[in-house]
Structure formats: C-alpha cells, structure tokens
C-alpha cells in the first residue's frame, strides 16, 4: 500500500467505465482530471508569537450539474492527490443520487490535536480569505470532513459573510441546527444506508424482519443504520469498534440481538464501546475480525476503507447475501471480484452512503430560502431520493446483468458526461 495513490485509483475506475460507455476522447480527457484546483498558503500568528504557514487546497472536479460540493479535511498527511480523488468521487456521488451538484473537496495540512481553538479559527478564516472569489452558494459549497465540524464551518461562514457584506448561510453546510443546520443531518447517512438496503431486500423478496446483520463501526453512520434496521424489525447481532487504550478493535456479539440503547450508553463520543461494561451486560467481546465472520444475512462495513479485503474475505459466512457499504471504499478491488463471482448483492458506497450529501443539499436549499423544514419532512424527502436512486441503479443492473457498482458508475458518469455535452463543453 506504500505507493497507493487514490487519485490514480479514481482515474482507473473512471477509465474502465468510460470504455464501457464508449465515451468520446474529449469527454474522457475532461472528466479524468479536475476542472480547477487551488493551492494556497495560510499564514497564522501562533499563540507563542511565531508565524506558521499552512498549506491549503480546494479542488473542483466537475460542476457541469451544479455548484461543486464537498468537505474540507484537516489532516497532517493530507495530499493533493487524496483531495483530487475525493473531489472526483463527490462528482459521481451527487450524480448517482441525481442532486444538482458537482464534486469538490478541500483540505489543509495540519493536525488540529496540536492547535488551539484560536489557531484553528485563524486557519478557517485564512482558508476563506484565500479562496473567497472561487467559492460561494452558486459556485462551490464546502462542508465538514475528517477533523472538521460545525464550529469550523461557522468560522468560515462568518469570514465569508464579512467579506461579502451579506448573510449567505447557503455558502457552507454541516452547520449546527439553529445556526443554519438541517434537522435530520445526524441520522441522514445511516438512515440512507438502510433505505437502500430495505429496497434491495424487497427487490429480492426477502422479509427484513427475518434477517440478521453485523456492523463494522459504532459511529455516526453505523449507529443510525442500526437504529433504522431495528425499527424495520431486523436483528443486529454484532458491532465492532476501535479501542483507543488498547490500540486495536474489538467485536461485540450477542446472538439474541444487541440492544442499541444499552450499547450507546457504554460508548464514548468517538464510538468506542467500554469492554468491561459490555461483558457485564452479556456481550461476547471478540477479536477485530469477528464482526465479519458472523453467520448473518447482511454485512454493513461502516468504519474505514479497505476492511473487506483478500484476508478478511475468507472469514465471511456463506449465509451472507447482502453487503451495504456505509463507509467509503470498505471493499478492496480483489474482494469486490469475489463478491461478484459469488453473487453477493453489494450496494456500493457512493450510492449507499449518499444520504449525508443529500441532506447537505437540503441544508443548502433551506438556507437559500431561509425557511427550515421539520425533521420528518427532511427524512421523507431523503427516503424519496435514496429510494429513487437505488431503483435507478438496480434496474440497470438487472437489465444489463451487471454488478451494482458498475451500474452505479455507469449512471453517474453518463449523467455528468451528458451535462458536459449539453453545455457544449465537449
Ligand atoms: P465515526 O468517526 O463517527 O465512527 C467511526 C467508527 O468506526 C467508530 O465507532 C470507531 O471506533 C470505528 N472504527 C475505527 N477504526 C476501526 C477499526 N479498525 N475496526 C473497527 N471499527 C473501527 O465515523 P462515521 O461518520 O460513522 O464514518 C464512518 C465511515 O463512513 C467513514 O468511511 C466515512 O468516510 C463514511 N461516511 C460518513 C458519512 C457521514 O455523514 N458521517 C457520510 C458518507 C460516508
């Protein structure tokens, strides 16, 4: 993995689908690379009186279908190729669910663990000052990502509004509720994962109430996916999470079914469950990979990338017929080939976890109108979009007898290619 380059991988994925779709060379050339990218410095007066210069990025991969959309990461190992890849994947994610947005991503090379709040605020304000002419509610709408959250978004919004001299809350999403944030955003990704699974099971004539599932991760995505799965009547029997103290992950298993409320009461804000408390409550605490080895119908990897790989693949029970990718990139290409061969039904990440960006789109719409919807309204609109997107991909996969991931890419890329063509770009 030393030389793993996510942007090369995104380009390879694109090249394969472009070939299948028979895209012309101009369109291929255009969509293989970002339309625009900005590299800039952010000088910050540190608390100790010195000045430190941080490196910032914003990449707009494609905005033919609407303003670019995507998060801003703060990470010490951020690279321009990671940002390019993530921006590319955002273009496909927005297109596959049919929301009128393009793909973007940004970042700053920094480690927030070693920065005071004031220093982080200066980075946020500096990021905006450097890019202010090239972002905005009609151009490019940022959001939180790794190690950034609502407070960072509000500092950025405040700087943007000061420069523009107007209230423009639709400029950025992921804001706290009451400060322009949308109700339902917390649930959106996990619930979206389950809306797609519900439809997949229906399509296969499987009663969700008769199914069992195992989840990797116990964070935002996984907890809300489990919540809705259990509301639908499914039985979740295992979850796994990272243990900061032991620096390894564990699986928590109860064959009679986990109790979500109980496990939540034993977890910290990072989604780590207390082992001792879980043991006392009757959970078997097993090794990291035990979640994937459960004799269940459904696996939901919702923690990290590259978790379903050549090594862990061998542990998967023959009973597993559905895999729903809550995380981004949880399945390696090798494991993906095996799922394809074995006829496992996979709902690919950029379709399954698109509930988050769809709700961010709702946040932007509500902010632009300055009128906010109830949580029920948000979730029912989300269900409508996710269900429609799922069926679009599912129908194509049945019609052409192709794998769901391939069908999802074909729909997304052809929508973007078509938009570029209609605009006269290619
Ligand atoms: P989170 O930080 O809230 O939770 C992550 C969970 O994974 C935690 O429970 C953590 O303990 C667990 N974990 C970490 N390392 C692990 C390991 N090695 N083995 C098992 N568990 C481990 O994160 P999240 O927001 O739930 O995001 C999870 C995934 O979903 C990421 O891939 C993220 O990019 C993707 N995603 C999130 C959203 C969103 O809206 N939150 C949207 C789209 C995609």
């Amino acid at each position: 993995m030393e030389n793993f380059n996510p942007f090369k991988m995104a380009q390879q994925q694109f090249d394969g689908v472009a070939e299948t779709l028979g895209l012309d060379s101009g369109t291929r050339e255009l969509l293989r690379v970002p339309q625009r990218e900005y590299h800039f410095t952010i000088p910050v007066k540190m608390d100790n009186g010195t000045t430190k210069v941080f490196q910032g990025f914003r990449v707009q991969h494609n905005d033919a279908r609407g303003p670019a959309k995507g998060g801003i990461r703060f990470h010490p190992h951020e690279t321009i190729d990671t940002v390019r890849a993530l921006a590319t994947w955002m273009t496909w994610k927005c297109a596959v669910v049919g929301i009128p947005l393009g793909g973007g991503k940004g970042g700053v090379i920094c480690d927030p663990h070693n920065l005071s709040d004031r220093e982080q605020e200066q980075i946020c304000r500096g990021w905006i000052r450097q890019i202010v002419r090239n972002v905005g509610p009609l151009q490019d709408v940022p959001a939180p990502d790794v190690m950034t959250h609502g407070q960072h978004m509000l500092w950025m919004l405040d700087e943007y509004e000061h420069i523009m001299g107007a209230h423009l809350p639709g400029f950025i999403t992921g804001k706290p509720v009451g400060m322009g944030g949308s109700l339902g955003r917390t649930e959106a990704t996990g619930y979206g994962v389950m809306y797609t699974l519900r439809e997949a099971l229906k399509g296969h004539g499987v009663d969700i109430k008769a199914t069992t599932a195992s989840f990797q991760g116990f964070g935002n995505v996984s907890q809300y996916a489990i919540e809705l799965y259990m509301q639908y009547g499914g039985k979740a029997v295992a979850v796994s999470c990272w243990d900061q103290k032991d620096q390894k992950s564990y699986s928590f298993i109860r064959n009679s079914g986990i109790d979500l409320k109980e496990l939540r009461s034993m977890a910290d804000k990072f989604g780590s469950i207390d082992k001792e408390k879980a043991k006392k409550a009757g959970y078997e605490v097993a090794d990291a990979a035990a979640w994937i080895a459960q004799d269940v119908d459904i696996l939901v990897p919702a923690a990290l990338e590259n978790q379903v790989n050549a090594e862990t693949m061998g542990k998967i029970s023959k009973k597993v017929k559905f895999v729903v990718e809550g995380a981004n990139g949880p399945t390696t290409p090798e494991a993906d080939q095996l799922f394809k061969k074995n006829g496992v039904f996979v709902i690919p990440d950029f379709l399954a976890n698109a509930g988050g960006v769809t709700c961010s789109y709702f946040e932007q719409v509500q902010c632009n109108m300055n009128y906010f919807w109830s949580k029920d309204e948000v979730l029912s609109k989300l269900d409508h979009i996710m269900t429609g997107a799922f069926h679009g991909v599912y129908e194509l996969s049945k019609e052409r007898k192709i794998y769901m991931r391939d069908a999802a890419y074909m729909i997304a890329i052809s929508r973007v290619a078509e938009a570029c063509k209609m605009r006269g770009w290619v």
Side-chain angles (χ1 to χ4, degrees):
M1 285 314 237
E2 217 169 80
N3 296 320
F4 174 73
N5 181 325
F7 185 50
K8 283 219 168 85
M9 181 170 135
Q11 287 187 314
Q12 275 164 11
Q13 288 166 339
F14 169 75
D15 291 343
V17 182
E19 191 62 33
T20 312
L21 289 171
L23 292 186
D24 60 83
S25 60
T27 309
R28 286 187 203 202
E29 216 177 307
L30 184 68
L31 295 181
R32 281 191 105 241
V33 290
Q35 274 181 299
R36 287 176 287 276
E37 57 182 60
Y38 305 96
H39 301 221
F40 45 88
T41 49
I42 307 172
V44 170
K45 294 244 161 28
M46 304 299 279
D47 292 349
N48 66 8
T50 62
T51 296
K52 203 167 166 190
V53 180
F54 294 89
Q55 179 71 44
F57 306 110
R58 185 70 182 172
V59 173
Q60 294 160 355
H61 171 259
N62 189 281
D63 61 5
R65 301 184 69 258
K69 182 91 193 82
I72 301 168
R73 314 184 138 196
F74 282 2
H75 202 282
H77 308 303
E78 189 64 289
T79 68
I80 186 63
D81 274 340
T82 311
V83 183
R84 285 173 178 144
L86 292 162
T88 308
W89 287 323
M90 284 303 295
T91 304
W92 313 142
K93 191 181 285 204
C94 292
V96 81
V97 285
I99 52 177
L101 295 170
K105 207 81 181 186
V108 178
I109 302 176
C110 69
D111 188 350
H113 293 109
N114 306 326
L115 296 165
S116 69
D117 281 357
R118 193 199 64 82
E119 289 164 344
Q120 291 184 49
E121 178 178 346
Q122 290 315 305
I123 293 181
C124 290
R125 292 185 185 276
W127 194 92
I128 292 295
R129 285 197 294 270
Q130 294 293 11
I131 191 99
V132 68
R133 280 174 219 83
N134 308 102
V135 291
L138 305 176
Q139 288 158 283
D140 180 358
V141 182
D145 202 89
V146 173
M147 286 202 262
T148 55
H149 49 72
Q151 177 63 72
H152 298 102
M153 299 304 108
L154 280 183
W155 285 325
M156 289 185 171
L157 176 67
D158 186 69
E159 189 69 23
Y160 183 76
E161 290 184 335
H162 264 97
I163 297 170
M164 304 306 283
H167 276 285
L168 293 157
F171 157 60
I172 205 159
T173 63
K175 304 181 293 298
V177 172
M179 290 298 289
S182 176
L183 291 167
R185 176 63 187 89
T186 317
E187 294 85 351
T189 308
Y191 276 24
V193 166
M194 278 303 134
Y195 297 145
T196 63
L197 174 67
R198 180 195 64 204
E199 296 305 306
L201 294 174
K202 252 192 243 166
H204 287 80
V206 176
D207 178 7
I208 197 165
K209 292 192 180 69
T211 63
T212 51
S214 177
F215 295 75
Q216 187 186 36
F218 196 63
N220 173 258
V221 179
S222 185
Q223 287 192 30
Y224 287 97
I226 296 171
E227 184 174 283
L228 193 58
Y229 177 63
M230 288 173 55
Q231 277 172 28
Y232 286 152
K235 186 162 88 173
V237 298
V239 298
S240 79
C241 61
W242 180 253
D243 188 299
Q244 187 61 26
K245 204 166 101 232
D246 295 0
Q247 286 291 299
K248 59 193 235 191
S249 53
Y250 294 100
S251 302
F252 298 80
I253 304 158
R254 191 153 77 185
N255 289 327
S256 58
I258 63 165
D259 179 335
L260 180 62
K261 204 168 148 205
E262 183 182 59
L263 280 183
R264 273 178 167 156
S265 75
M266 299 172 190
D268 63 17
K269 64 175 179 176
F270 304 107
S272 294
I273 301 167
D274 186 312
K275 285 197 305 291
E276 298 314 317
K277 286 185 185 160
K279 272 186 204 158
K280 270 194 203 133
Y283 291 88
E284 181 197 337
V285 179
D287 65 10
W291 79 277
I292 209 172
Q294 296 302 302
D295 221 8
V296 289
D297 306 292
I298 302 153
L299 290 177
V300 186
L304 293 176
E305 60 285 346
N306 296 335
Q307 296 300 297
V308 187
N309 50 42
E311 193 194 326
T312 55
M313 215 37 212
K315 301 184 196 308
I316 298 179
S317 156
K318 290 216 161 29
K319 193 174 178 202
V320 173
K321 291 283 173 286
F322 298 88
V323 174
V324 201
E325 296 181 335
N328 284 319
T331 308
T332 63
E334 251 174 320
D336 214 27
Q337 287 306 323
L338 286 171
F339 281 145
K340 242 187 220 188
K341 201 173 122 216
N342 299 341
V344 175
F345 189 85
V346 175
I347 310 180
D349 49 4
F350 70 107
L351 169 63
N353 70 30
V357 72
T358 304
C359 197
S360 294
Y361 161 59
F362 292 159
E363 177 177 336
Q364 195 201 354
V365 171
Q366 293 169 82
C367 284
N368 291 344
M369 292 191 300
N370 207 6
Y371 174 76
F372 289 82
W373 307 330
S374 70
K375 188 161 155 182
D376 282 351
E377 215 171 338
V378 171
L379 292 176
S380 94
K381 285 183 164 68
L382 181 67
D383 192 346
H384 180 74
I385 289 191
M386 294 300 293
T387 298
F390 172 83
H391 282 289
V393 175
Y394 187 40
E395 288 313 311
L396 183 68
S397 90
K398 284 194 292 188
E399 196 185 298
R400 303 272 294 259
K401 296 194 175 34
I402 52 175
Y403 194 52
M404 283 287 284
R405 194 183 312 278
D406 299 337
Y409 268 120
M410 280 170 69
I411 289 185
I413 291 173
S414 55
R415 280 183 183 158
V416 180
E418 184 62 20
C420 294
K421 195 167 155 217
M422 286 171 81
R423 284 179 180 278
W425 291 355
V426 283

